[in-house]
Amino acid sequence: MCGIVAYIGGKDAAPILLEGLARLEYRGYDSAGVAVTGKTGGLKTVKRKGRVADLAAAVPGRFKGTTGIGHTRWATHGEPSDANSHPHLDGAGRFAVVHNGIIENAEELRAKLESEGVVFASDTDTEVLAHLVAAHAKDADELEDAVRGALARVVGTYGIAVLDAERPDRIVVARNGSPIVLGIGEKEMFAASDVAALVRYTRQVVHLDDGELATVRADGFSTFTQDARMTAKQPSTVDWEEASYDTAGHAHFLIKEISEQPSAVERTLSGRVDERFATAHLGGLNLDAREARAFQRVKILGCGSAYYSGELGAQLIEELARIPAHAEPASEFRYRNPVIEADTLYIAVSQSGETYDTLAAVQEIKRKGGRVLGVVNTVGSAIARECDGGVYLHAGPEISVASTKAFTSTAVAFALIALHFGRVHDLSPADGRRICAGLKALPGQIREILAQEEQIARLAAQYAQNAGMMFVGRVRGWPVAREGAQKLKEVSYVHAEAYPASELKHGPLALIGPELPTVAVVPDDELLEKNLTTLGEIRARHGRVLMVGHTAPDPKYAEDCILVPRNEPELDPILLGIPLQLLAYHAAVALERDVDKPRNLAKSVTVE
Ligand code: AGP
């Protein structure tokens, strides 16, 4: 997805903008650009299709200015090209605009502007904004008024930063559905779409709300609404380390983040497991025991891997708390005019906290009076702020597009929620203690699984040679199989399909043969025998099987196997997913894929 960086202060803006853009590369992009201005006036712009390194090479030595904006673009309107890259300028070259999001009425606005004689230099929706700001500047005293005037005519989502060559003392930014965060420095200020671009320079940040604008100057900022009412914002401190944004000697962020899972899970658990009372403390839920007991159902919403982790969560809540719980893709939920029930607790899941579909689902629930909690990794993100309470993962920043440590930490957070709800319902103290002990054992057991990386890499290199793979699991193993298939397809581009093992003979068994191997998630639980029967059916059709489970199977069921340590049956799915992450990673490496930035994907999907 697109990224924005802005700087104003006493230093040369360009190197800071380029460094910030490099920090945003992980989000996925196809072109990049920067514009600067300064006291000497005039606007200098360089933009290029390609990588940030190509842009940096194209920026001339005399590209001086202490106020600037930069952008990485992920094409929506118009192909990736130099002309379509941001920043976009008005006809006179006075204003420069960078934009994340989509202007839905861009065509209509473009036609109107063209009829007034405006000549467009690109195919983008963003360029409309630059011309609109210029049009409104004619009757406005301040840049802020011109930007507000332009935004009043726009339908759609945006995070923008606007530079005015005649007002080099400020940058105006605005947010509506696409994040903008301000960074507060010493006599300098920053703005970006993601704190990743800021942490090298400052930890003090301010998140804009939807419908909010800010004037950013070297010595401070002011925020206001679209109708020019001032707003008051409290800065917060980002606790993520700058080092988290480096691969720290690993070949890719993905393997670094997979191997960080023991410490990520420790942080998710930290201070939350109460062995004495056999429960979990989750103060951020903002629910007392009476309220927690009152909910009759739980509905979990998220997209992609966040949705699959929600399926694990629903399973845990049903098992431990005996409350009916169900997960649904947020992207579907929001479009089906959902019935919102007063006695249902809604839980939104998001690593980034900025996924537009999930945010829109949360807003729809709140519009209809529902209670919604968030399970979110990014502190201060839009979803976290929109929810009535929730649980932060504290997994640390996740850079690789494929989610791993956030997925695992989300499952752990759900185990804590399920334990907490279980203990306010009928989960016995003995069972509560059992789960507490299981949770505490997780980090060490994840380390044991990670120690098998070499063996898993060998298997991955073999299995990656197939055109496709089937993933199966039953009940506790089913969300694990779904996430395993998702991970493999997104990073290796090997076609992967997940089915409940119980459904195989209702159709997909027709696909099974020597050319389509199966990865089977088979915990040692009450369904073990049934799972082995399914594996026997696959083997009988000459399908190769890689089993992930607790006990080495008879070779008549599986040719290959990865063993994971046993935890409590309810928590086993959390561990069973880890080898599948390693399998996907090493399949992608074997196939020489762009592991951290798979084609066509972006880290956070802030558009519909
Ligand atoms: C995960 O590997 C994917 N990249 C994707 O499915 C992701 O989980 C989804 O887009 C939701 O993102 P979020 O957790 O930031 O909301």
Side-chain angles (χ1 to χ4, degrees), residues 185-232:
E186 276 289 310
K187 298 196 183 116
E188 59 185 0
M189 285 285 300
F190 306 83
S193 51
D194 183 327
V195 290
L198 307 178
V199 284
R200 180 157 185 206
Y201 304 104
T202 179
R203 296 293 174 83
Q204 290 297 105
V205 300
V206 170
H207 295 270
L208 291 197
D209 286 311
D210 276 346
E212 217 168 21
L213 298 88
T215 303
V216 184
R217 299 171 188 266
D219 58 358
F221 67 95
S222 51
T223 53
F224 48 95
T225 59
Q226 177 59 28
D227 53 5
R229 278 179 295 110
M230 301 301 283
T231 54

Side-chain angles (χ1 to χ4, degrees), residues 253-422:
F253 279 108
L254 185 55
I255 190 64
K256 177 183 177 237
E257 287 160 6
I258 290 172
S259 51
E260 281 172 348
Q261 289 179 108
S263 52
V265 168
E266 271 159 10
R267 285 196 300 275
T268 307
L269 293 173
S270 178
R272 289 167 166 169
V273 179
D274 179 345
E275 286 164 294
R276 184 164 169 228
F277 294 107
T279 187
H281 289 299
L282 297 164
L285 293 184
N286 300 332
L287 288 176
D288 63 25
R290 192 185 295 259
E291 288 172 307
R293 278 191 73 92
F295 290 110
Q296 299 298 309
R297 273 168 300 282
V298 176
K299 166 74 88 180
I300 302 169
L301 300 160
C303 296
S305 293
Y307 158 54
Y308 298 138
S309 67
E311 289 199 310
L312 280 180
Q315 176 78 29
L316 279 157
I317 290 169
E318 286 208 349
E319 283 201 77
L320 298 180
R322 303 303 296 153
I323 307 172
H326 182 248
E328 181 177 342
S331 48
E332 285 290 297
F333 175 87
R334 59 173 291 224
Y335 284 115
R336 63 173 180 78
N337 190 19
V339 177
I340 301 301
E341 299 163 306
D343 57 359
T344 296
L345 177 64
Y346 296 86
I347 305 181
V349 183
S350 178
Q351 186 286 127
S352 62
E354 301 290 350
T355 299
Y356 190 77
D357 283 324
T358 310
L359 179 62
V362 171
Q363 289 166 339
E364 180 68 5
I365 295 164
K366 293 195 72 182
R367 248 191 305 274
K368 292 178 170 175
R371 180 83 167 250
V372 52
L373 302 179
V375 175
V376 175
N377 195 33
T378 308
V379 175
S381 56
I383 294 170
R385 283 178 293 136
E386 194 76 46
C387 288
D388 301 307
V391 180
Y392 277 124
L393 302 179
H394 301 305
E398 197 178 63
I399 307 297
S400 189
V401 164
S403 184
T404 51
K405 63 177 181 175
F407 177 88
T408 303
S409 281
T410 303
V412 171
F414 272 117
L416 290 166
I417 294 170
L419 172 62
H420 175 75
F421 285 173

